[in-house]
Amino acid sequence: MTSDHYKLAAFAFVVAILTSLISINGLGKSFLGENLANASIYLLLIGVLVVAVARRSQILSLQAEIVRKQGQEIELTHAALNAHAMVCLTDADGIITSVNENFAEKYGYSQSELAGTSISRVYRYGINDPVFSEIGKTLKSGRIWTGENEEIASDGSKLFMHCTVVPMIDHQGRHTRTVAIRTDNSDFHRAEKARFLKDLLDHLQDEVYIFDSKSLKMVYANLIAISNSGWEGSDLQQKTIIDADPKMEERLFRNHVLPLIKGEKTVVSIDVKRGELLGEISTRLYTGDDGQTLFVSVLRDNTERRQMEQARMESVSVVSHELRTPLTSIKGALRLLNSGALGRFDDKSESILDIASRNTERLLLVVDGILDLEKMRAGKMEYTKASVDLVSFVKDVVAMSKGYGDEHGVEIEFQSDLITAYAEISAERIMQVLSNLLSNAIKHSLSEGKVRVKLSNEKGFWRVSVSDDGPGIPESDRNAVFESFSQLVSHDGKKRKGTGLGLAISQKIVNAHDGIIDYTSEVGKGATFFVNLPFPPSMNLLEKTTYAMNAGLGGEGVS
């Protein structure tokens, strides 16, 4: 009610009162008095009417203010929902009619992509999802459904959503539309999962280290890892994995994990000794949700198992020492008989002598292998290292193996783009390794097949690879390939002769050269075993750069 309205009403009331007073003072029966009385009544009515109109105007003004405030509240509520929740409107059949920007962005779609499609697309099992079915039944009964559900985005990633789904019912009681409001609880679930895993890992007996694949900076270490590394928990962020062991060298470690970076392997392992502890470190590469790549290394204490193996090997070694002398004598006697020095034998006798000679040779190989392995494990194997040009060296190994390849009808091909490739190696031992790889490749190749030997520069080390076209090795056999006395069942069912010690010995020899021996394989398509040998420690930066530049400038193929 405005001030003008109040002034008009007040004037009407004053005039009405004055008129009434005049009428009361004796003029009531006169014509003038009668008119004044009537005028006072009219003026009084006008005053009342003015007051009523003013009051009505005031009420309308208040209602307009209330509506304005309600509109503001609705806008604020809508803005809050858009800022903090995902809103989806569907029809009674679950077909999306509209979604807000938050919903579209969270699930990885555009708003137009979602319109006209079924809301079941965000549920883990689509229309067969049990939660989707439960919500449908609840809405049909006219009730509100609320709860948490695991849903999926367009890229297949999981989302944990808290949902409130409200049915819109018309005046006839029919379900016509649905309003669903979602809030993302994914971060909470990840945090809960992380807390659970951390608590689990903290109390493992194996040492666990998680660190950045590029900088090698520590991200996490469990309690026993922190203790055995001599760290404090508060210092972890300032440490790298190299700080875990004073004997560890970054160059060798990066060489060790390179197959993970290149995708050649899913796990790399190495034997370690820390004080009295004998263990094995297995490392994997993990990619987080944010794209960060991390190494996860687990050090398992194998002291007891190694001690048992050592006791067994010592027993076998003693027996092997006792066997070697008589076997050598038997071998000499058989050679003497085969030479004809004691007379000629008939064909049947010569065949039996040949069988005896070959089996004696095989037994001596087993005995020598056991003795070599025992020496290596005891740290008594001697390695006289010298600078060797691997280009010429590998050619010689290929030439030496050519006769064995001819026996099996297998061609050996050597290829390298390198002119020279010097490494500090024990030529005798590395030749033992490469000869073993070549003989294995020849044995597993198809008749009239080809074994490919390659020497290449792999950014910081030389790689010698030996590839065959044989049956390949199943991934399930990976852990057994380099084990002692390991005789794997070939995928093609054929039996190949061997001592089961060649690869175990080769691994020890390569490890003693700070190198890596490993393989890649696909069943039915062959296998490639490779040896990585580091550049000479004395090589300066200029020489390393020159090697890298010359890697593609020369070389030749040899068959």
Side-chain angles (χ1 to χ4, degrees):
M1 184 172 183
T2 65
S3 59
D4 289 339
H5 290 141
Y6 282 116
K7 288 177 182 178
L8 182 58
F11 175 75
F13 277 119
V14 169
V15 173
I17 291 169
L18 289 173
T19 306
S20 299
L21 290 173
I22 293 171
S23 175
I24 292 170
N25 288 330
L27 298 178
K29 293 184 179 180
S30 67
F31 175 77
L32 179 59
E34 233 178 79
N35 287 335
L36 285 173
N38 290 335
S40 68
I41 291 170
Y42 290 138
L43 288 172
L44 186 60
L45 289 173
I46 289 171
V48 171
L49 182 60
V50 170
V51 171
V53 170
R55 182 61 179 166
R56 175 63 177 168
S57 177
Q58 185 181 34
I59 291 171
L60 290 175
S61 178
L62 288 172
Q63 287 178 336
E65 180 66 17
I66 290 171
V67 169
R68 186 183 67 80
K69 288 183 176 180
Q70 287 177 339
Q72 285 182 335
E73 289 177 0
I74 291 171
E75 288 180 3
L76 289 172
T77 302
H78 188 264
L81 283 174
N82 276 333
H84 300 288
M86 287 136 275
V87 182
C88 175
L89 301 180
T90 62
D91 63 17
D93 297 321
I95 302 301
I96 298 172
T97 56
S98 68
V99 298
N100 68 346
E101 291 181 5
N102 271 0
F103 188 100
E105 183 179 347
K106 179 61 67 174
Y107 287 87
Y109 299 99
S110 67
Q111 290 172 300
S112 59
E113 280 181 299
L114 290 168
T117 64
S118 174
I119 189 63
S120 63
R121 72 189 300 173
V122 305
Y123 288 83
R124 187 174 181 183
Y125 301 108
I127 59 174
N128 297 317
D129 191 275
V131 176
F132 177 74
S133 300
E134 179 189 337
I135 292 174
K137 292 177 182 177
T138 303
L139 296 177
K140 283 182 180 179
S141 68
R143 293 179 290 118
I144 297 173
W145 187 92
T146 184
E148 193 171 81
N149 184 39
E150 182 182 314
E151 299 180 350
I152 54 172
S154 61
D155 61 0
S157 58
K158 294 179 182 179
L159 299 171
F160 290 92
M161 292 290 178
H162 187 277
C163 309
T164 298
V165 189
V166 182
M168 307 296 290
I169 309 298
D170 65 12
H171 64 282
Q172 295 179 344
R174 293 176 301 184
H175 173 209
T176 58
R177 289 186 301 164
T178 300
V179 179
I181 299 173
R182 289 170 165 81
T183 53
D184 188 1
N185 282 352
S186 300
D187 289 342
F188 173 77
H189 275 268
R190 292 191 190 101
E192 283 293 303
K193 185 177 181 181
R195 279 192 291 270
F196 170 76
L197 290 176
K198 182 180 183 303
D199 187 59
L200 182 67
L201 293 175
D202 274 346
H203 297 90
L204 279 181
Q205 291 304 304
D206 296 335
E207 296 179 32
V208 180
Y209 301 85
I210 301 176
F211 49 99
D212 186 83
S213 64
K214 296 176 182 177
S215 66
L216 303 185
K217 287 185 176 180
M218 296 301 306
V219 173
Y220 168 81
N222 66 350
L223 298 178
I224 192 170
I226 291 173
S227 175
N228 289 351
S229 299
W231 297 341
E232 296 290 339
S234 57
D235 298 335
L236 189 63
Q237 301 304 320
Q238 284 73 48
K239 301 293 184 181
T240 70
I241 190 62
I242 307 303
D243 298 321
D245 190 333
K247 297 179 181 178
M248 195 181 303
E249 293 183 28
E250 182 173 346
R251 178 180 65 87
L252 296 179
F253 179 81
R254 290 191 182 277
N255 185 21
H256 172 62
V257 297
L258 190 61
L260 298 177
I261 299 291
K262 298 177 72 173
E264 296 173 346
K265 297 187 67 177
T266 58
V267 60
V268 293
S269 300
I270 190 170
D271 294 333
V272 296
K273 184 175 182 180
R274 180 187 283 176
E276 297 299 318
L277 181 146
L278 299 172
E280 178 186 64
I281 298 178
S282 297
T283 303
R284 294 178 181 272
L285 184 65
Y286 170 78
T287 303
D289 294 336
D290 57 356
Q292 182 185 15
T293 53
L294 302 170
F295 284 129
V296 180
S297 293
V298 178
L299 171 56
R300 175 159 294 175
D301 184 355
N302 290 335
T303 304
E304 186 176 349
R305 181 175 67 84
R306 294 291 181 83
Q307 288 173 344
M308 292 175 63
E309 287 182 357
Q310 183 70 19
R312 186 175 70 239
M313 282 301 300
E314 287 176 358
S315 299
V316 173
S317 178
V318 170
V319 174
S320 298
H321 276 289
E322 296 298 325
L323 285 174
R324 199 178 196 291
T325 300
L327 280 172
T328 303
S329 299
I330 293 170
K331 178 182 177 181
L334 290 170
R335 279 185 175 180
L336 185 63
L337 290 173
N338 280 329
S339 68
L342 300 178
R344 304 301 304 177
F345 296 90
D346 56 36
D347 291 343
K348 187 175 181 180
S349 298
E350 284 187 355
S351 175
I352 292 172
L353 283 172
D354 184 56
I355 292 171
S357 181
R358 280 190 281 111
N359 279 297
T360 302
E361 191 73 41
R362 186 162 176 262
L363 275 173
L364 275 171
L365 285 174
V366 173
V367 169
D368 287 341
I370 292 171
L371 294 175
D372 282 347
L373 200 58
E374 201 279 328
K375 283 182 183 178
M376 291 173 187
R377 288 181 172 174
K380 297 178 180 178
M381 178 63 74
E382 294 182 2
Y383 296 94
T384 304
K385 296 180 181 180
S387 181
V388 175
D389 177 15
L390 293 179
V391 176
S392 300
F393 180 78
V394 176
K395 285 181 183 178
D396 290 343
V397 177
V398 169
M400 289 171 56
S401 301
K402 189 175 184 300
Y404 188 66
D406 292 340
E407 284 182 32
H408 290 75
V410 175
E411 180 186 358
I412 306 174
E413 178 185 82
F414 172 61
Q415 190 275 329
S416 179
D417 292 330
L418 299 170
I419 300 172
T420 57
Y422 284 94
E424 294 285 335
I425 63 171
S426 168
E428 179 185 359
R429 295 301 173 189
I430 294 299
M431 182 171 288
Q432 183 180 351
V433 171
L434 298 182
S435 297
N436 180 261
L437 296 183
L438 273 166
S439 65
N440 284 345
I442 291 168
K443 284 189 292 187
H444 287 86
S445 290
L446 301 174
S447 180
E448 299 183 1
K450 181 182 289 186
V451 170
R452 295 165 298 282
V453 182
K454 183 178 180 182
L455 174 62
S456 59
N457 180 338
E458 292 293 332
K459 297 180 181 179
F461 55 88
W462 307 120
R463 171 170 290 187
V464 183
S465 60
V466 179
S467 304
D468 63 59
D469 55 3
I473 305 170
E475 189 62 25
S476 58
D477 288 341
R478 179 168 289 276
N479 292 335
V481 169
F482 293 99
E483 289 291 325
S484 306
F485 302 105
S486 177
Q487 293 279 6
L488 303 181
V489 177
S490 181
H491 185 66
D492 60 5
K494 293 181 180 179
K495 291 185 177 180
R496 275 96 174 174
K497 292 180 180 180
T499 64
L501 294 172
L503 288 175
I505 292 172
S506 296
Q507 187 180 55
K508 298 292 184 185
I509 292 172
V510 174
N511 286 347
H513 286 76
D514 295 325
I516 294 172
I517 181 170
D518 211 335
Y519 73 93
T520 59
S521 181
E522 186 176 349
V523 173
K525 295 186 178 180
T528 296
F529 279 80
F530 58 86
V531 175
N532 292 346
L533 295 170
F535 284 165
S538 58
M539 186 185 297
N540 59 39
L541 181 60
L542 178 61
E543 289 173 321
K544 290 179 181 179
T545 305
T546 304
Y547 269 126
M549 292 175 63
N550 290 339
L553 298 180
E556 57 181 318
V558 179
S559 297

